[in-house]
Amino acid sequence: MKFNTKTIHGGQTHDPAYGSVMPPIYQTSTYAQSTPGGHKGFEYSRTHNPTRQALENAFASIENGNYGLAFGSGLAAIDAVLKLLEPGDEVISTNDLYGGSYRLFTSIFKKFGIKFHFVGMQNADNIESYVTDKTKLIWVETPTNPMMNIIDIKAVSTIAKKHDLLLAVDNTFATPYLQQPIDLGADIVMHSATKYLGGHSDVVMGALVVKDKELADKLYFIQNASGAVCGPQDSFLVLRGIKTLHIRMQRHSENGKAVATYLASHPKVEHVYWPGFESHPNHEVAKSQMKDFGGMISFTTKGNNYEEAIKIVEKLKIFTLAESLGGVESLCGHPASMTHASIPKEEREKTGVVDSLIRLSVGIEDIDDLLDDLKQAIG
């Protein structure tokens, strides 16, 4: 199956009870047994649920993995990956990452004796000097949030395999429509399925996909033991969202290109961060590992004025000022005061998250309306 077909049919079967084309919402916590242990593959919905299982099969299919896991949020999915580790283990993470990931690493798992190194990964060679005999995991986002930095997954995979490390890739911004990290050498792919996979800003969910059975079994054990699973209604919503992922991502990418081009020519704009520009750092890597460049864009204004950035996001009308991204509607955010407020100012500015930085999640509306909205807001 090609990708566009997989989004609709990948890993799916018609419901055996009545031939339902869409997986039914099995809104149940438990399942009847004919004798102790005599059941039809389902005992308790924390462990397995038919609707969630259909979604997990879809996750695995679109990421070219063998096993999918669905969680109550993206952070719950990351939490499960970190529970593979033990006190004394070390993690090498990109230094430009989602603020919630940074908070989970430093405020929760650090106190359990796990050490984190935050490293600029635009040049993969930087990673190797941080590897010790205690290193167990490399954590990558690409494109990164919110600076849109591109990390060479194949190059990082080579380092991970050389030192027998796990490589996990947060693929939330790109989605499997644009890149498939498992094909590039990743062991674990993570998504905040809240974003593009769901696609309609109506659900919170996380996903993991792996190829290796032993690793999958460890993660399934953690998923069941810790219990941070999603419900059947949410599973149904994300299954429905995935069915239009390919056509949505095509429009997100088309609109993203138009918005990035407009901003780059605006006299009040200082920098535009979008991997599709030839001048973007690691543009050639993006071209090689991504099918297109997506709808996520960040930009700064000349003078780097905090108050001016706030005025712009307040004046936008079609772009809604809100947390999150990846829905059909366009959103804008101010990372320094919103998504990355948990990262100390000195640390966030090292990675480029300055006071005037504005992040756009470009939706699938008419492009003329989006450009007119930016025009009136920036002035």
Side-chain angles (χ1 to χ4, degrees):
M1 269 187 215
K2 304 289 189 201
F3 183 82
N4 292 357
T5 307
K6 277 186 176 184
T7 61
I8 298 167
H9 300 288
Q12 302 303 296
T13 56
H14 296 151
D15 183 65
Y18 299 105
S20 171
V21 172
M22 280 298 290
I25 302 170
Y26 281 90
Q27 194 73 48
T28 185
S29 60
T30 192
Y31 306 83
Q33 301 186 28
S34 56
T35 186
H39 53 78
K40 298 178 181 179
F42 298 92
E43 299 170 85
Y44 186 62
S45 277
R46 170 171 38 77
T47 309
H48 296 107
N49 174 282
T51 316
R52 191 176 89 226
Q53 188 174 84
L55 174 62
E56 291 177 331
N57 291 342
F59 285 155
S61 174
I62 59 177
E63 279 289 8
N64 292 340
N66 293 325
Y67 307 95
L69 300 90
F71 294 84
S73 69
L75 281 166
I78 300 171
D79 180 84
V81 173
L82 294 178
K83 284 173 179 168
L84 293 166
L85 306 175
E86 296 180 0
D89 288 349
E90 297 186 6
V91 177
I92 303 170
S93 167
T94 178
N95 64 348
D96 166 26
L97 80 167
Y98 168 53
S101 304
Y102 180 87
R103 181 178 57 225
L104 181 67
F105 293 175
T106 58
S107 298
I108 304 295
F109 280 92
K110 186 179 175 184
K111 68 184 179 186
F112 294 123
I114 296 169
K115 186 174 180 180
F116 295 87
H117 301 278
F118 296 98
V119 180
M121 293 186 179
Q122 291 90 312
N123 181 349
D125 293 341
N126 288 346
I127 297 169
E128 203 150 13
S129 63
Y130 290 87
V131 175
T132 73
D133 58 356
K134 294 181 179 179
T135 308
K136 295 294 187 291
L137 172 70
I138 301 177
W139 185 267
V140 167
E141 279 182 25
T142 182
T144 61
N145 179 14
M147 299 309 299
M148 311 302 151
N149 287 316
I150 299 297
I151 296 167
D152 188 333
I153 298 171
K154 270 187 182 175
V156 180
S157 169
T158 299
I159 294 166
K161 284 176 171 50
K162 177 181 172 184
H163 296 281
D164 196 25
L165 311 176
L166 284 175
L167 170 59
V169 177
D170 181 340
N171 202 28
T172 299
F173 271 28
T175 80
Y177 176 83
L178 297 179
Q179 77 185 6
Q180 292 167 316
I182 285 175
D183 290 351
L184 298 168
D187 299 293
I188 303 170
V189 178
M190 190 290 271
H191 285 273
S192 172
T194 308
K195 315 303 194 295
Y196 286 108
L197 299 189
H200 294 78
S201 301
D202 55 6
V203 66
V204 173
M205 188 184 292
L208 295 177
V209 178
V210 302
K211 212 164 189 175
D212 179 74
K213 185 178 188 305
E214 186 181 351
L215 178 57
D217 286 344
K218 288 177 182 176
L219 288 167
Y220 282 128
F221 177 84
I222 291 166
Q223 180 193 42
N224 184 51
S226 295
V229 296
C230 55
Q233 174 73 31
D234 287 350
S235 298
F236 177 85
L237 288 171
V238 174
L239 265 167
R240 184 174 67 169
I242 287 172
K243 289 182 185 294
T244 58
L245 177 66
H246 55 301
I247 53 174
R248 287 187 286 107
M249 287 307 298
Q250 184 178 342
R251 178 58 66 87
H252 282 300
S253 297
E254 290 168 1
N255 283 356
K257 181 178 182 179
V259 167
T261 303
Y262 168 75
L263 290 171
S265 66
H266 198 290
K268 290 187 179 178
V269 171
E270 183 77 26
H271 297 294
V272 181
Y273 303 97
W274 181 67
F277 288 139
E278 287 186 12
S279 59
H280 188 86
N282 278 3
H283 168 72
E284 291 303 317
V285 174
K287 258 174 72 174
S288 70
Q289 71 185 20
M290 296 173 74
K291 177 180 173 183
D292 206 329
F293 303 105
M296 294 304 300
I297 299 163
S298 291
F299 71 97
T300 59
T301 53
K302 287 182 177 168
N304 189 31
N305 187 285
Y306 182 95
E307 286 75 21
E308 281 182 18
I310 299 297
K311 279 180 191 171
I312 290 170
V313 297
E314 286 176 346
K315 283 168 75 174
L316 284 163
K317 295 185 172 77
I318 294 175
F319 284 87
T320 301
L321 177 60
E323 300 265 1
S324 202
L325 59 106
V328 292
E329 69 290 322
S330 293
L331 299 178
C332 66
H334 182 246
S337 63
M338 295 169 72
T339 54
H340 288 61
S342 62
I343 300 177
K345 179 180 169 83
E346 185 181 329
E347 288 300 311
R348 66 171 169 79
E349 288 195 339
K350 281 181 192 172
T351 62
V353 185
V354 297
D355 285 347
S356 72
L357 188 77
I358 293 169
R359 190 190 74 181
L360 302 178
S361 173
V362 181
I364 63 173
E365 302 93 340
D366 190 286
I367 189 57
D368 291 338
D369 290 331
L370 296 179
L371 295 179
D372 285 345
D373 194 27
L374 288 165
K375 198 176 295 181
Q376 65 82 23
I378 301 171

